Amino acid sequence: MIVSHAPTASAGRRRPVKPEERSPARLLLRSLAAELSEGAVILPSFPDVVVRIRAALADPDAGLTETLEIVCAEPRLAERLLHAANTTALCSSGPPVTDLRAAIARLGARSVQSAALAFAVEQVRLAPPHRSISRQLNSLWEEGISVAALCQAIARRTRSSPDEAFLTGLLHGIGRLYIMIRAADRSPSLIGDPAFEELADRWHPTVGKTVLENWGFSRAMSDAVGLQGDRDGGMGHAPDLADVLIAGVTLAPALHHPETPLVGMEGIPAFARLGLTAEDCAAIVTHCEYQLGALNDALG
């Protein structure tokens, strides 16, 4: 649940409300927080196919059959899954598949969810009401693919699930996407406002965690998204998915800007818990550089 830090009473008197607490940006975010805390996830133009597929894949009695029925009702999603199943980025090499059931089986649960998420985000990007933020949405999706690739590569060096790490990286910006879409619908003038962007930076992990909880994603994934900005976390626990995501988000700028030095990692406990040295991180970034083109082709 998102906690709204409302003014509290002290010694019978209320603390004066600061002007910045009444700003349009803060008021909008507080309103979204209240909605989410009540379980209301409102994402205009975002198809619910992601949530339905996740639920179907999580049900051992439904699984492939129900997933196939859901996908068959969305021709564009079916086309995307067939394409993804024939890419080396998401599947190992093999003979081309043209049957949708075979494509879903080859991709596996996590990759099917990743492709469904790519489809859903594409629908949002193409929706007429969101044309004003199409550039920001494109950048956010590209960042998600980059962080997903890094998280998967990091997980392969640890005991974390590479598939779960990939999907978590892909979803790490869902809170920012939620905030941007709702702002574009309710307060378009806030888009591009530096004060709003600063608040969104601070709030989006908590918003993202709440969205994933409402959608029924695993606690490990929702907790990781909520903790992605906690670079000062203590040293007292074993490495987990949150550490993988923190490392992936931290390394993402170097993936797009090779001249960016890999410095400051020594002060981020997640890297120590994962056992990643600067040399390890440089190798991970280099590996992911070669993957990005294929992943963008597979996921759009």
Side-chain angles (χ1 to χ4, degrees):
M1 177 181 293
I2 300 176
V3 179
S4 178
H5 300 287
T8 57
S10 177
R13 301 176 64 183
R14 289 186 177 274
R15 175 179 64 81
V17 179
K18 297 179 180 180
E20 61 268 23
E21 293 181 349
R22 298 194 186 97
S23 70
R26 190 174 291 274
L27 290 174
L28 172 64
L29 287 169
R30 287 186 184 278
S31 174
L32 299 183
E35 289 177 3
L36 287 167
S37 68
E38 295 174 359
V41 178
I42 304 168
L43 261 178
S45 305
F46 193 95
D48 66 353
V49 67
V50 175
V51 180
R52 289 190 289 125
I53 284 179
R54 191 217 62 78
L57 291 171
D59 183 355
D61 296 325
L64 179 59
T65 300
E66 186 172 334
T67 302
L68 185 62
E69 292 176 358
I70 295 170
V71 173
C72 284
E74 298 280 359
R76 290 183 180 177
L77 174 57
E79 181 181 351
R80 181 179 287 275
L81 287 175
L82 282 168
H83 173 71
N86 288 295
T87 63
T88 57
L90 295 182
C91 296
S92 58
S93 59
V97 295
T98 57
D99 176 71
L100 191 54
R101 178 182 288 271
I104 293 172
R106 175 185 279 189
L107 283 166
R110 297 295 182 189
S111 291
V112 168
Q113 290 181 73
S114 296
L117 178 63
F119 165 77
V121 171
E122 180 183 46
Q123 302 311 297
V124 172
R125 295 196 322 239
L126 296 177
H130 303 143
R131 286 175 182 165
S132 63
I133 57 171
S134 60
R135 181 179 59 81
Q136 293 95 325
L137 292 175
N138 285 336
S139 295
L140 181 61
W141 181 241
E142 289 171 1
E143 179 189 351
I145 293 176
S146 298
V147 174
L150 288 162
C151 288
Q152 184 179 59
I154 293 167
R156 285 175 174 155
R157 291 172 173 255
T158 69
R159 295 183 178 180
S160 298
S161 163
D163 289 341
E164 183 177 47
F166 183 89
L167 185 57
T168 304
L170 205 59
L171 284 163
H172 88 281
I174 194 67
R176 192 183 298 277
L177 181 141
Y178 189 91
I179 292 170
M180 288 172 58
I181 291 175
R182 297 303 306 281
D185 289 336
R186 290 176 50 177
S187 302
S189 61
L190 291 177
I191 301 298
D193 180 345
F196 176 69
E197 296 293 336
E198 182 181 352
L199 283 172
D201 283 343
R202 298 208 318 255
W203 283 54
H204 85 85
T206 305
V207 171
K209 175 182 178 179
T210 307
V211 169
L212 294 188
E213 287 175 340
N214 277 285
W215 283 353
F217 281 88
S218 71
R219 179 175 179 179
M221 290 181 63
S222 59
D223 283 351
V225 168
L227 291 169
Q228 63 182 283
D230 184 18
R231 298 187 178 187
D232 299 320
M235 297 290 292
H237 65 78
D240 57 18
L241 187 59
D243 292 316
V244 172
L245 182 57
I246 290 169
V249 170
T250 303
L251 294 176
L255 185 57
H256 290 282
H257 305 286
E259 70 280 2
T260 303
L262 296 173
V263 297
M265 295 177 345
E266 298 80 3
I268 300 178
F271 286 93
R273 282 193 289 267
L274 292 166
L276 294 176
T277 65
E279 291 75 17
D280 294 331
C281 292
I284 288 170
V285 169
T286 300
H287 170 75
C288 290
E289 285 174 353
Y290 291 105
Q291 280 191 314
L292 274 186
L295 279 171
N296 277 290
D297 174 61
L299 293 175

